[in-house]
Amino acid sequence: MIKICEVAYRKPGMSVEDFQAHWLGTHGPIVARIPGIRRYAQCHPKLAGYRNGELICDGIAEIWVDDKEALRAMSQTAEFAAAKQDEPNFIDGNRLVELLTTESVIKDGPVPKNGVKSISLLTFKTGMDPAVCQAHWREKHGPIAAEIEALRRYVQCHVLLGAYRKAKPPAFDGIPMAWFDNIADMRLSGASDPYARTKADEVNFLEPGRIGTILTQEHVIVG
């Protein structure tokens, strides 16, 4: 299974509220009609996050398909063309980032109803082999983070290694997604020992100062 992660930015001059309304109410149903999609979710940043300025992105879409062959077939359909045609109505196409990933489930808990979903955009340490970074993130870092008691569910989205054979490397190297019952519990977990050990381990595979996080509400459109 391949998971497409689209890191989206609203078009210049558009309000966050209008962006989210169009994305969910208009664009979502268009994408839902594309054949071959197994699951489709939109992650909308909490509006309170904009109180201090712009965020690292305006949202992340997640689309699951069976494999690359299914993705190629999907891209040839009229429904896919309709979705791409709608994007300029609310998305800044010059900044849109599309990543093909595989999802590793580190803590397989249920998604809490009305919970909060924390999403980060990661950049691996300069000079390190991406495959080595991915292994460390999944096998060493992941189990440490999974010990955070308030963490209900935790998955890692690993960029397909083939992306690193292209002339231009991927804009981001990985996207972790973590679910909590509420923001208060998430913040309290920041004082825990597992959280401290999780943060301390980041220097072993991540580029310092290159982690950005948004708190979102997840909307499942398909699946």
Side-chain angles (χ1 to χ4, degrees):
M1 187 77 73
I2 291 177
K3 180 179 178 180
I4 307 159
C5 291
E6 295 187 337
V7 183
Y9 303 83
R10 67 189 189 278
K11 72 176 184 179
M14 191 174 202
S15 71
V16 175
E17 292 85 353
D18 287 347
F19 169 82
Q20 292 188 354
H22 185 100
W23 188 17
L24 183 61
T26 300
H27 192 72
I30 296 174
V31 174
R33 291 193 287 269
I34 299 175
I37 290 180
R38 299 305 182 190
R39 181 177 171 84
Y40 169 45
Q42 297 177 357
C43 301
H44 293 219
K46 300 284 189 179
L47 293 178
Y50 289 91
R51 289 174 183 166
N52 296 321
E54 294 299 315
L55 304 179
I56 55 167
C57 68
D58 291 308
I60 294 177
E62 305 168 66
I63 299 173
W64 286 255
V65 298
D66 288 335
D67 48 35
K68 287 186 176 180
E69 288 70 26
L71 179 57
R72 280 191 285 268
M74 183 177 78
S75 67
Q76 302 301 312
T77 65
E79 292 85 354
F80 180 87
K84 298 303 290 185
Q85 186 176 10
D86 181 59
E87 286 182 356
N89 293 322
F90 70 112
I91 286 177
D92 184 347
N94 293 323
R95 302 180 68 193
L96 179 65
V97 175
E98 296 183 333
L99 302 172
L100 300 186
T101 77
T102 56
E103 182 180 86
S104 293
V105 178
I106 307 300
K107 190 169 186 176
D108 194 11
V111 173
K113 185 178 181 181
N114 301 319
V116 61
K117 183 177 181 179
S118 173
I119 304 176
S120 298
L121 302 177
L122 305 183
T123 301
F124 289 151
K125 201 168 185 177
T126 301
M128 283 189 70
D129 184 338
V132 173
C133 289
Q134 287 188 356
H136 182 100
W137 182 26
R138 181 177 55 250
E139 298 164 14
K140 296 182 180 180
H141 188 81
I144 298 173
E147 293 179 9
I148 298 173
E149 187 175 354
L151 183 60
R152 296 295 175 239
R153 181 175 177 82
Y154 172 45
V155 304
Q156 298 174 351
C157 303
H158 293 245
V159 175
L160 299 186
L161 290 174
Y164 295 95
R165 292 193 289 269
K166 297 181 180 180
K168 186 177 180 180
F172 305 105
D173 295 305
I175 304 180
M177 302 181 175
W179 288 257
F180 298 85
D181 287 331
N182 50 63
I183 293 178
D185 283 357
M186 183 196 71
R187 289 175 175 163
L188 284 174
S189 73
S192 67
D193 179 66
Y195 179 83
R197 289 189 286 114
T198 299
K199 296 301 292 184
D201 181 62
E202 290 177 353
V203 299
N204 294 318
F205 70 107
L206 296 180
E207 188 68 14
R210 295 289 301 277
I211 303 173
T213 301
I214 54 174
L215 301 183
T216 75
Q217 179 179 355
E218 180 182 72
H219 300 275
V220 178
I221 312 298
V222 176

